[in-house]
């Protein structure tokens, strides 16, 4: 057997990502992962002693929101009086790193795997904070109505994080720009 390489590990993770997104974690054996990655099964265990370690590595390495050195405002190009445009810009520039497949995995496995649930919670929190801050900056008159701003930010966060899953469930693509416009109207902007 040849020496393990970083390429082998990447192929294993790529195979697991595709299989977990398509079939789910429980339905994807390590043998199937190895076959899909075109590596010996023992190599999977070389990198990942247990199958759960593959899932944890995927979640840790392939889903994150880039942290901002200067706080949530640094990523927000808010235009006062334009919450729809501000949210649309946030959606386009949001440094959320999670492929559609990884988003499906997060959505599917959050109920049964604590590490996935925790990562999804952190992603959700970070996106929510940025959306809420964007709305506060773009619609300063609504600051006194925190409950409405938080509901609007939570709605927009759900659209950004779960849009592929929602499209898979409904068969309809959800346009973040259209949702931004609806949110702005609901806030009276």
């Amino acid at each position: 057997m040849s020496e393990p390489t970083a390429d082998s590990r990447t192929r294993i993770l790529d195979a697991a990502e595709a299989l977990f997104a398509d079939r789910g974690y429980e339905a994807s054996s390590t043998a199937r992962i190895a076959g899909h990655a075109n590596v010996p099964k023992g190599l999977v265990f070389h990198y990942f002693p247990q199958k759960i370690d593959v899932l944890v590595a995927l979640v840790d390495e392939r889903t994150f929101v880039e942290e901002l050195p200067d706080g949530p405002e640094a990523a927000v190009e808010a235009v006062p009086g334009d919450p729809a445009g501000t949210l649309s810009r946030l959606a386009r520039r949001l440094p959320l790193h999670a492929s559609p497949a990884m988003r499906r995995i997060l959505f599917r496995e959050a109920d049964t795997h604590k590490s996935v649930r925790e990562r999804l919670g952190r992603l959700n929190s970070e996106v929510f904070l940025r959306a809420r801050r964007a709305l506060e900056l773009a619609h300063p008159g609504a600051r006194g109505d925190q409950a409405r701003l938080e509901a609007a930010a939570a709605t927009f966060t759900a659209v950004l994080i779960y849009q592929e899953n929602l499209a898979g469930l409904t068969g309809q693509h959800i346009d973040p720009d259209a949702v931004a416009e609806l949110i702005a109207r609901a806030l009276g902007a």
Side-chain angles (χ1 to χ4, degrees), residues 60-109:
D60 286 347
E61 296 173 23
R62 296 188 177 191
T63 61
F64 62 95
V65 174
E66 288 178 21
E67 299 212 7
L68 300 172
D70 301 325
E73 294 94 52
V76 178
E77 289 185 31
V79 175
D82 185 16
T86 297
L87 287 176
S88 291
R89 280 187 295 286
L90 177 66
R92 283 190 298 279
R93 294 187 179 144
L94 186 68
L96 173 62
H97 297 277
S99 69
M102 282 307 303
R103 291 181 195 201
R104 282 192 302 281
I105 292 167
L106 288 171
F107 189 71
R108 175 183 277 159
E109 305 300 335

Side-chain angles (χ1 to χ4, degrees), residues 109-129:
E109 305 300 335
D111 287 340
T112 54
H113 294 91
K114 183 181 177 189
S115 62
V116 177
R117 184 172 43 257
E118 289 171 351
R119 175 54 58 104
L120 187 56
R122 286 192 305 272
L123 290 171
N124 224 358
S125 294
E126 184 63 32
V127 174
F128 171 79
L129 289 172

Side-chain angles (χ1 to χ4, degrees):
M1 185 166 100
S2 61
E3 286 295 310
T5 66
D7 181 53
S8 297
R9 185 179 187 281
T10 299
R11 286 198 332 261
I12 292 166
L13 288 175
D14 290 346
E17 181 176 342
L19 290 168
F20 293 171
D22 184 47
R23 305 172 62 89
Y25 171 81
E26 293 300 329
S28 302
S29 68
T30 51
R32 181 165 274 150
I33 293 168
H36 202 73
N38 199 27
V39 300
K41 184 177 174 183
L43 194 55
V44 174
F45 291 113
H46 170 78
Y47 288 111
F48 309 101
Q50 299 177 358
K51 186 170 86 166
I52 190 66
D53 297 323
V54 178
L55 179 63
V56 169
L58 277 173
V59 170
D60 286 347
E61 296 173 23
R62 296 188 177 191
T63 61
F64 62 95
V65 174
E66 288 178 21
E67 299 212 7
L68 300 172
D70 301 325
E73 294 94 52
V76 178
E77 289 185 31
V79 175
D82 185 16
T86 297
L87 287 176
S88 291
R89 280 187 295 286
L90 177 66
R92 283 190 298 279
R93 294 187 179 144
L94 186 68
L96 173 62
H97 297 277
S99 69
M102 282 307 303
R103 291 181 195 201
R104 282 192 302 281
I105 292 167
L106 288 171
F107 189 71
R108 175 183 277 159
E109 305 300 335
D111 287 340
T112 54
H113 294 91
K114 183 181 177 189
S115 62
V116 177
R117 184 172 43 257
E118 289 171 351
R119 175 54 58 104
L120 187 56
R122 286 192 305 272
L123 290 171
N124 224 358
S125 294
E126 184 63 32
V127 174
F128 171 79
L129 289 172
R130 291 181 192 195
R132 187 180 68 196
R133 185 64 182 144
L135 288 169
E136 288 172 347
L137 293 170
H139 194 49
R143 283 190 183 167
D145 192 356
Q146 282 296 357
R148 286 180 62 205
L149 281 178
E150 289 193 3
T155 300
F156 200 66
T157 298
V159 167
L160 291 181
I161 291 182
Y162 300 108
Q163 60 187 315
E164 289 89 3
N165 296 315
L166 294 170
L169 292 171
T170 65
Q172 302 291 320
H173 173 73
I174 298 172
D175 180 11
D177 292 335
V179 174
E181 194 63 45
L182 286 171
I183 288 171
R185 277 190 253 148
L187 289 173

